[in-house]
Amino acid sequence: MALVEARAWMEVDLKALWANWRFLSARAKGEVIPVLKADAYGHGALPLARFLFQKGARRVAVAAVGEGRALREGGVEGEVLLLGSLHPLEAEEALRWGLTPTLSTLEAAEALAGRARALGLTPRAHLKVDTGMNRVGFPWEEALPALRAVEALGIRVEGVYSHLATAGEDAAFVEVQRRRFQEVRKALGEGYFYHLENSLGLLLHGGENVRVGLALYGLVPGFGLKPILRLLARPTLVKRLKAGDRVGYGGEYVARGGEWLATLPVGYADGLPRGAVAWVRGPSGALCPVAGRISMDQTTVLLPGPVGLEAVFEVLSPDFGPTGLLAWAEARGTIPYEVAVHLSRRLPRFYLYD
Ligand SMILES: Cc1ncc(COP(=O)(O)O)c(C=O)c1O
């Protein structure tokens, strides 16, 4: 049943999010940090941050200073960790908005300390340690001198973390990184908040303090997690095709004649990956094949029979079936992360809990 007076919209199931969160929290030995970067992988960072803090999350993580600032401007007061390695030019903004930056260079640490002095603020940060990803972080073998150098600048290092490069792909290398991280922990001692695993790291290998995105959004099959997002649309036009009618750009679909066609007001600008959405679920639950190319704002589908313009189609389903996000990603030859982060902000999103 449609709850909404709109022609296209997204529904985010907060109850399912909460169930995913509880499942992950039971699996982790320590804290679960929700990763809300890229607008919570397209699900909407601000409402999710508000919800998760209200449910007892101790902190959330985003990537960029601007994402942290948007949470603050939206009234989020809790701890916000910036996962992106701080650029010296961002130090002041991170301080002013009370965000916790990640340091992986001394240049950034010096900028943070310098700006904090000028503003009369206490600089706090997490230290990123590179245990094998070779992207950002102080080399793990040099973690102790790096920590000393950063602390000598007057920065309060509250956490130390690393990131797994091969969770779900190469278990042996996950173990290498975990051993290196343990070495770092031994060298630096307790008194810091250590965190390492991501979704697949936690689900496949266990973990203590973890940062999870994909699993929180239920986009990992096989563990009882549930996707939390549906995309729904009502047709703007329903008609019967004549034999030889061609549909959409390139006229790729050629009608046999007599088919019913619905035009849905969502397209690749709403996040539907071109060439990768084969089906939508019709009002009766039947799978309706996409006919012709997906346009920027519209998608045409074949129907078993006529429907009215009030009918609701499930374009993206919260499951692992043919209308789910994983099916889109697979057909597109990409990872679910990439499809999720392109879910559009232009559709209204409704956050449901019942
Ligand atoms: C540093 C860091 N930690 C944690 C995550 C969360 O990863 P996942 O969505 O696989 O749980 C990411 C996402 O890429 C990340 O960059």
Side-chain angles (χ1 to χ4, degrees), residues 20-352:
N20 292 341
W21 164 267
R22 284 200 314 270
F23 175 89
L24 296 164
S25 297
R27 217 158 168 111
K29 293 200 188 82
E31 183 181 329
V32 176
I33 305 171
V35 175
L36 303 183
K37 60 184 179 161
D39 205 22
Y41 297 21
H43 295 75
L46 183 57
L48 265 52
R50 286 181 180 147
F51 176 77
L52 290 163
F53 274 123
Q54 184 205 325
K55 286 288 191 183
R58 297 196 48 204
R59 75 193 89 208
V60 300
V62 294
V65 178
E67 293 178 319
R69 174 180 177 162
L71 293 184
R72 290 280 183 256
E73 286 174 337
V76 169
E77 289 175 358
E79 174 82 7
V80 177
L81 174 63
L82 302 177
L83 295 175
S85 184
L86 185 76
H87 191 281
L89 293 172
E90 299 171 320
E92 180 159 337
E93 195 173 3
L95 284 158
R96 283 191 185 280
W97 290 97
L99 308 167
T100 308
T102 289
L103 294 175
S104 56
T105 64
L106 276 182
E107 293 96 309
E110 281 158 5
L112 186 70
R115 296 316 302 150
R117 256 194 315 278
L119 295 167
L121 296 169
T122 306
R124 306 175 303 115
H126 285 213
L127 203 71
K128 182 84 178 268
V129 177
D130 183 1
T131 55
M133 185 127 180
N134 284 300
R135 207 171 51 170
V136 287
F138 292 99
W140 67 279
E141 305 95 320
E142 296 162 23
L144 185 56
L147 174 76
R148 292 208 169 120
V150 168
E151 288 184 333
L153 291 165
I155 295 172
R156 199 165 81 213
V157 175
E158 295 178 343
V160 176
Y161 74 101
S162 191
H163 191 46
L164 298 176
T166 64
E169 297 184 55
D170 178 350
F173 195 64
V174 169
E175 281 315 310
V176 169
Q177 286 195 270
R178 282 158 69 108
R179 271 200 306 278
R180 289 174 177 171
F181 195 60
Q182 275 313 315
E183 291 287 310
V184 167
R185 188 165 177 163
K186 244 190 278 165
L188 271 50
E190 296 308 318
Y192 300 99
F193 174 67
Y194 291 94
H195 46 110
L196 177 62
E197 285 80 11
N198 57 357
S199 292
L200 285 177
L202 171 66
L203 291 169
L204 299 176
H205 304 273
E208 188 185 343
N209 301 313
V210 299
R211 305 175 305 274
V212 292
L214 202 67
L216 188 61
Y217 309 120
L219 293 171
V220 184
F223 294 92
L225 297 162
K226 196 177 168 328
I228 65 172
L229 188 132
R230 300 167 83 202
L231 195 165
L232 299 147
R234 294 189 167 97
T236 45
L237 185 146
V238 176
K239 68 172 179 184
R240 201 155 202 196
L241 296 173
K242 300 186 296 296
D245 282 349
R246 297 172 62 176
V247 178
Y249 285 116
E252 231 166 58
Y253 181 79
V254 183
R256 283 188 310 274
E259 304 96 314
W260 284 95
L261 185 88
T263 302
L264 303 176
V266 288
Y268 62 80
D270 300 293
L272 280 64
R274 276 180 90 242
V277 179
W279 309 93
V280 307
R281 217 166 261 292
S284 65
L287 284 174
C288 303
V290 170
R293 290 184 201 158
I294 291 175
S295 322
M296 188 182 290
D297 318 302
Q298 306 187 66
T299 296
T300 37
V301 301
L302 297 176
L303 311 177
V307 297
L309 299 190
E310 74 291 347
V312 176
F313 288 71
E314 192 174 66
V315 178
L316 177 65
S317 311
D319 60 34
F320 299 107
T323 53
L325 192 137
L326 266 60
W328 288 6
E330 197 178 324
R332 180 74 171 188
T334 188
I335 50 175
Y337 301 82
E338 188 184 342
V339 176
V341 300
H342 286 111
L343 292 169
S344 167
R345 279 106 194 104
R346 80 176 176 182
L347 294 182
R349 294 201 196 94
F350 296 89
Y351 293 83
L352 311 176

